[in-house]
Amino acid sequence: MKPTAKQVAHEAGVSIAAVSRAFSPGSSIDPLKRQRILQVAAQLGYSSPARRTAEVISAGTVTLVAGDLANPFYPLVLDTLAKALQAVGRQLLVYAIPPQADMDQLTPQILAARPSALVVTSASLTSGMANACRQHGIRVVLLNRIQRNVRVNAVACDNHAGGRDAALFLLGRGRRRIGFIGGISNTSTHRDRAEGFSEALRESGHSVLAEGNGEFTYRGSYGAVLSLLTAKNRPDALFCCNDIMALAAIDAARELGLSAPEDLSIVGFDDIPMAGWRSYRLTTIRQPITRMISEVVGLIQASNTVPLDETTTSILPGKLIVRGSA
Amino acid sequence: MKPTAKQVAHEAGVSIAAVSRAFSPGSSIDPLKRQRILQVAAQLGYSSPARRTAEVISAGTVTLVAGDLANPFYPLVLDTLAKALQAVGRQLLVYAIPPQADMDQLTPQILAARPSALVVTSASLTSGMANACRQHGIRVVLLNRIQRNVRVNAVACDNHAGGRDAALFLLGRGRRRIGFIGGISNTSTHRDRAEGFSEALRESGHSVLAEGNGEFTYRGSYGAVLSLLTAKNRPDALFCCNDIMALAAIDAARELGLSAPEDLSIVGFDDIPMAGWRSYRLTTIRQPITRMISEVVGLIQASNTVPLDETTTSILPGKLIVRGSA
DNA sequence: TCATTGCGTGAAAAAATTTCATGGAGTCTG
DNA sequence: CAGACTCCATGAAATTTTTTCACGCAATGA
C-alpha cells in the first residue's frame, strides 16, 4: 500500500541504506545516486520519516527571500503577503538577506526547511538555486524580478510600461529637459523602467538629458540629484526609479530652494505610503501590490494541480497616481 | 553510549512505542504521559530521529514574531536582527502577523518549527504561549515590549526616561502648552512613554494640556493633531509616542499653515530613517537599535550556558537627537 | 442498561537508520 | 613511480524507531 524504502531501493537498484542516506542531508552518498533515488522516490510517492516530519513542520509555509528592507516598498510587500497567506491558512517565513549577500550561501538552509514555495524579491536568483528548488519540488516565484535565463514563475508590475507612462506624462506637462535617477543597474526593475522611459522619450523625438545613480536609496539619490540640479543644464523634470529616491529628489530640490512642481516635476515609482504624505504629495506609478500578491498566492496554491515545470509570468499594469509633485 | 528510546522507556516506565509517540506530534498519547516522557528524555539527552531532523532544520534559526510592519521602525529592527544573526551564523524566520491577530493561533505552528528562540515585537505575549515555549525549551525574548505578568527575557529602550527627556526638553525650550499624541494604550511602549512624559511635567509643576490618540499610525495621528491644533487652547508643543505620528503631526501642522519649530515644537520617538529626511528634521528620542539587537542576540546565544528560567530584562537608554522640529 | 465509539496502550511486526567492514579512487611520500 | 595512506561511498547486518494491531477502558447516547 504505502510505498517503503525497500520498494524504492529495489526500483532504483540500490540498497535500503542508500535510500535512507539519500534522505538524510549530510550523509555520505554520491550526489548523482542521491538524485536518482530521490527521483524514484518522488515517482513512487515515498518520503522517509524524517522527511515526513519536515513536511509536517513546513506544511503550508512559504519562504520569502527579501532584500532591501530599507525600501518601504518591501515591508509593504511582506505585510501584504503575510496577510494573504494567512487568509488561505498558510504561514510566512522570511529570510531577510543583506543586499550584497550571496543567495547561494543560503540555499542549503532554505532547502533544509523544505518550504512549499519560495518567493524571491531579493536581487537575483542563481540558476543553481533554481535547479535545486525544482529538484526538491519547491515552487519558486520571483516577485518584482524578471529573469530570462531561468525558468521560474514571476510576478511583476509592468515596469516597462510604467517607465513609458512616466515619460509621456512629463512630456505632456511640457517638460523637455528630463533627467533620470536610476537604481542598481543589473536589476530588472531598474532596467525595464529605464528602458521604457527612454524609449518613450526617444519615440517622441526627445532623449534623457541627464542621468544619476541613486542606488535605490534616499541618500544615494539625494546626492545624485544635488549634483544634477547644480550642473549647467539643469533638468526641469526627474523620473526616479523608485519612490524613496523620488522623495530624496524632492528634498534635494528643496535644499537648493527649488520646489516641485513649480521649478521641476518629479515622478517616482512604487507608491509607498510616504508618497501620499502631505509634505511630498508625490506623483508616482503605483504598483498593484494587492493584485501582485494575489497572483503570487495563486501560483503557490496551484502547487497541487499544475506541474512544477509549467511556469507563468504575470505582468500587471501599474497606475499613474497624479499628486502634486508633477 | 548514545541514549536510546529503550532506555527512556525503561526509565519512564512506559513502552518504547510510547516514547516514539511522545515525539511525534499529532499521535495518540496522553498529554501528561508525553510530558513525563519528554522530561525523562531531556534528562537523558535523548532525541528521536524525527526530532533530530527538526532540530537540524531549525538549528540556528530564530523566529521573529513581528506586528505593525507599517511602522518603519520594525522593518529596521527586522533588518538589523537579520544581519546580527547572520554574523553569528544564524538565520532569521519571520512570522508577520496582522496587528489584531491572536498570537495563540500561531502557537502550534511556531512550536512545530522548533526555533531555538523566539523574538516577539508584536503586541502581546500570552502566558499560555510563554509556558508552551518554556516547556519546549524555546527561549523567548520580548523586544521593545515589557510584560510584568510573564517571566521572559525582555529588551527595550528606556521608554520612561525617554518620555521624561522629551518633556524636559520641551520645557527647556520654553514650551508650556504641551500636548501628547499617544499610540495604543495597552502597549508598554505607549504606557511607559506617556507616564515618563507626564510625570516629568508634573514634577516641574506643569501638566499635559491635551491628549490625542494617534493609534501609532500616520493617518491616526494626522487626524488627532488636526483637531488638537484647531481646538480653542492650541498646544505650542507636541510629544508624539512614535516617529510616524510625529511626522504626521508636522504635516498636519503644515496643513494649518503652522510650522515647526516656529509655531510649535514637535518631538517624536524611535528615530526612523525618515526622521532625518530634509523635509522633517524631526527631533526625536533615538532607540539604540543596534545595542538592543546585540542584547537580543546575546540572550539567544546564551542558550547553552544560562538555564532557561533565568530571565533578564535589559533597559537601554535612548538618546535625544535634536534636529529642527523642536 | 447496553451497545457504540473513540482514545490510549503495549506487544509485535514492519520500516528506517546506523554501524561496520570492504573496496576503490585519489593523494602524498620516499 | 610504486607503495602507503586517507577519504569516502557502499551493502549487509545490527540496531533503533515507527507503525500496526488487538485490546481495554471510559465516555456518550439510545
Side-chain angles (χ1 to χ4, degrees), chain A residues 216-254:
Chain A
F216 281 139
T217 66
Y218 181 91
R219 178 174 295 268
S221 171
Y222 195 91
V225 171
L226 277 186
S227 55
L228 244 61
L229 294 185
T230 49
K232 246 190 209 138
N233 196 0
R234 198 181 81 204
D236 63 4
L238 284 176
F239 170 50
C240 303
C241 215
N242 76 5
D243 276 359
I244 10 172
M245 294 201 298
L247 300 179
I250 293 178
D251 283 347
R254 283 181 184 154

Side-chain angles (χ1 to χ4, degrees), chain A:
Chain A
M1 183 74 242
K2 203 171 58 178
T4 67
K6 203 171 174 181
Q7 291 171 43
V8 175
H10 184 256
E11 189 84 12
V14 296
S15 67
I16 300 179
V19 176
S20 175
R21 280 191 268 261
F23 277 93
S24 318
S27 61
S28 163
I29 187 174
D30 178 27
L32 238 74
K33 178 178 269 196
R34 164 176 278 157
Q35 192 177 330
R36 191 156 42 86
I37 292 172
L38 290 179
Q39 200 171 333
V40 173
Q43 254 171 34
L44 296 179
Y46 170 79
S47 276
S48 71
R51 166 73 76 99
R52 284 198 294 276
T53 306
E55 276 164 1
V56 168
I57 287 175
S58 52
T61 61
V62 174
T63 296
L64 173 69
V65 180
D68 199 13
L69 286 167
N71 177 356
F73 179 70
Y74 289 104
L76 201 58
V77 164
L78 200 158
D79 200 47
T80 313
L81 182 57
K83 281 167 189 158
L85 289 173
Q86 211 111 20
V88 296
R90 287 169 176 266
Q91 293 301 323
L92 179 65
L93 274 67
V94 178
Y95 285 79
I97 64 172
Q100 306 305 339
D102 188 0
M103 189 163 164
D104 278 333
Q105 285 184 329
L106 275 174
T107 305
Q109 183 94 27
I110 289 173
L111 295 181
R114 313 216 142 267
S116 53
L118 200 60
V119 179
V120 179
T121 67
S122 75
S124 64
L125 180 78
T126 61
S127 58
M129 175 86 190
N131 287 332
C133 285
R134 194 185 354 261
Q135 242 172 57
H136 287 78
I138 299 170
R139 196 161 292 256
V140 176
V141 183
L142 296 184
L143 179 53
N144 214 11
R145 293 283 179 274
I146 303 286
Q147 219 158 354
R148 288 184 188 77
N149 56 336
V150 184
R151 270 185 59 85
V152 287
N153 298 287
V155 175
C157 176
D158 192 338
N159 290 310
H160 192 89
R164 292 186 63 94
D165 289 350
L168 297 176
F169 176 77
L170 289 172
L171 289 173
R173 284 283 205 243
R175 303 302 189 176
R176 291 297 178 267
R177 301 197 312 281
I178 302 179
F180 174 74
I181 302 295
I184 297 164
S185 58
N186 65 359
T187 61
S188 68
T189 39
H190 167 98
R191 199 178 344 98
D192 295 348
R193 290 169 194 177
E195 279 176 16
F197 181 69
S198 58
E199 184 185 291
L201 285 185
R202 215 167 34 245
E203 285 173 13
S204 314
H206 303 279
S207 67
V208 178
L209 175 74
E211 241 177 86
N213 176 9
E215 291 171 335
F216 281 139
T217 66
Y218 181 91
R219 178 174 295 268
S221 171
Y222 195 91
V225 171
L226 277 186
S227 55
L228 244 61
L229 294 185
T230 49
K232 246 190 209 138
N233 196 0
R234 198 181 81 204
D236 63 4
L238 284 176
F239 170 50
C240 303
C241 215
N242 76 5
D243 276 359
I244 10 172
M245 294 201 298
L247 300 179
I250 293 178
D251 283 347
R254 283 181 184 154
E255 180 68 27
L256 300 172
L258 304 169
S259 66
E262 294 80 8
D263 303 300
L264 80 169
S265 293
I266 293 175
V267 173
F269 206 114
D270 284 346
D271 197 26
I272 60 177
M274 292 98 215
W277 286 5
R278 195 202 165 275
S279 294
Y280 293 109
R281 315 275 325 126
L282 179 69
T283 292
T284 188
I285 314 287
R286 172 180 296 168
Q287 295 209 54
I289 290 194
T290 311
R291 287 193 54 205
M292 286 163 68
I293 298 298
S294 296
E295 287 285 328
V296 170
V297 173
L299 286 168
I300 290 168
Q301 294 286 78
S303 296
N304 306 315
T305 54
V306 178
L308 199 63
D309 56 354
E310 187 180 317
T311 60
T312 309
T313 299
S314 290
I315 307 286
L316 301 173
K319 189 183 174 195
L320 180 72
I321 304 293
V322 181
R323 296 203 182 90
S325 72

Side-chain angles (χ1 to χ4, degrees), chain B residues 85-108:
Chain B
L85 290 173
Q86 211 112 20
V88 296
R90 287 169 177 264
Q91 293 301 323
L92 179 65
L93 273 67
V94 178
Y95 284 79
I97 65 172
Q100 307 305 337
D102 188 1
M103 189 164 165
D104 278 332
Q105 286 184 328
L106 275 174
T107 305

